[in-house]
Amino acid sequence: MVQVETVAAPLASRPALPLPAGAVDAHSHVFGPFDRFPPQQASVYALPDAPPAVHKGLRETIGVSYGVLTQPAPYGDDPSAMLSAIEGSVGALRGVAVASPDISDADLADWAARGIVGLRFVEMRAPGGARYPGSIGFDALEALAPRMREHGLHAQLWASADQYAEALPGLLKLGLPLVLDHMASPDRVRGAADPAFRSIVEQMAGGDIWVKLTLCRFFGAAADYGDVRPFHDALVQAAPGRLLWGSDWPYVRLDPAPDAGRMLDIFADWTADPSVRKAILVDNPAQLYALPPFEGEAG
């Protein structure tokens, strides 16, 4: 059994501006309970104690109605913890799993029936330059694409902007929605005029490309993320109908951990048009993840 080093999951504040009904956190994670769901791979970071009950509390605090879970690398290609969280959420959660090309059609069909809406593929490297243990690269996506189309799964990608700019023309030919993590991981120092980032923005106009507006992976950014805003503004101007918001809670490898409520405050401050905020928080994820109409009250 893999030894588990854990840390407490970070708390969040309530956003200053209440979110519209049906708002979605399109990128977060669950870990544990570890007595039932120990990691499958040695981890390069301490694992947050973030089981479904704690995740539910986070959703209630920040006011989101739905969440989309992303498989953490330490769980490899075993989505048991995520599937358990989805099944206990009474329809509030969906998931993005990890699979190698040798997965069976029966397993893909079972996952899709139980709330898995996509598979994640990673080219971003861990500290030290190696692939994150448990992650699957873009080469597997090309092998899996025909069966992903059959089961209605999209591809969630994590890579650098340079890697995206090079890979997207070929990946678009696979006929799958492509969801880029962490604002397409542009180079903060090179700025929003960087050719790699501009290439991604331009390709969004003609391809099935979605981008998650998550701020927290901009290492070295200003405390208020002001130096990141030009990337946000460029994406919102170019393709407001293809953007999603994600917290990335519980913020592995980040010390101190961000505050998810504060992340939403920054998003609201930078996205002044209420109709655009609603599109990014509600309408776009409802379309991509095939979410049912929300019948409760706003958060």
Side-chain angles (χ1 to χ4, degrees):
M1 179 179 295
V2 177
Q3 186 173 0
V4 180
E5 177 189 356
T6 65
V7 295
L11 301 176
S13 60
R14 188 171 296 278
L17 186 68
L19 305 189
V24 180
D25 180 350
H27 193 107
S28 62
H29 313 273
V30 291
F31 293 84
F34 294 116
D35 58 345
R36 294 179 58 200
F37 305 111
Q40 303 299 303
Q41 308 280 342
S43 177
V44 298
Y45 51 80
L47 302 185
D49 188 12
V54 177
H55 190 277
K56 183 174 186 288
L58 179 278
R59 299 197 308 273
E60 291 173 347
T61 296
I62 65 174
V64 297
S65 309
Y66 296 106
V68 181
L69 303 174
T70 292
Q71 175 81 336
Y75 281 118
D77 60 2
D78 180 0
S80 299
M82 180 165 30
L83 288 170
S84 178
I86 293 170
E87 289 163 2
S89 73
V90 196
L93 296 176
R94 300 291 187 268
V96 176
V98 170
S100 61
D102 60 3
I103 188 173
S104 69
D105 282 325
D107 281 343
L108 281 177
D110 176 64
W111 290 4
R114 296 166 67 188
I116 299 299
V117 293
L119 298 179
R120 194 189 199 199
F121 303 89
V122 174
E123 289 297 332
M124 188 68 77
R125 294 303 194 253
R131 189 185 298 279
Y132 283 93
S135 62
I136 300 290
F138 287 4
D139 55 341
L141 168 55
E142 298 192 30
L144 281 163
R147 292 191 290 154
M148 292 174 66
R149 289 195 301 269
E150 179 182 347
H151 294 289
L153 302 174
H154 70 261
Q156 181 174 314
L157 312 176
W158 186 26
S160 69
D162 289 331
Q163 291 169 321
Y164 284 135
E166 179 179 355
L168 283 176
L171 295 179
L172 284 168
K173 296 176 183 178
L174 300 176
L176 294 169
L178 305 177
V179 182
L180 313 188
D181 283 344
H182 308 311
M183 295 180 70
S185 302
D187 187 303
R188 180 181 57 84
V189 176
R190 286 167 17 198
D194 177 63
F197 179 70
R198 295 309 311 172
S199 172
I200 295 165
V201 172
E202 290 165 6
Q203 290 182 76
M204 291 179 74
D208 198 357
I209 300 172
W210 305 69
V211 173
K212 294 183 183 180
L213 299 177
T214 53
L215 288 178
C216 62
R217 294 295 157 186
F218 283 88
F219 296 105
D224 63 355
Y225 293 95
D227 51 348
V228 177
R229 181 165 184 174
F231 300 107
H232 171 99
D233 290 350
L235 290 165
V236 170
Q237 181 178 1
R242 291 295 181 88
L243 301 179
L244 314 158
W245 180 85
S247 68
D248 200 22
W249 185 92
Y251 304 112
V252 299
R253 299 186 298 112
L254 293 175
D255 185 19
D259 177 339
R262 174 59 180 152
M263 295 293 101
L264 276 165
D265 287 339
I266 294 172
F267 166 77
D269 182 53
W270 291 359
T271 315
D273 186 332
S275 65
V276 175
R277 287 201 303 270
K278 180 175 180 294
I280 295 170
L281 290 170
V282 180
D283 302 332
N284 299 347
Q287 176 187 346
L288 178 65
Y289 301 120
L291 296 170
F294 183 68
E295 298 179 353
E297 296 180 357

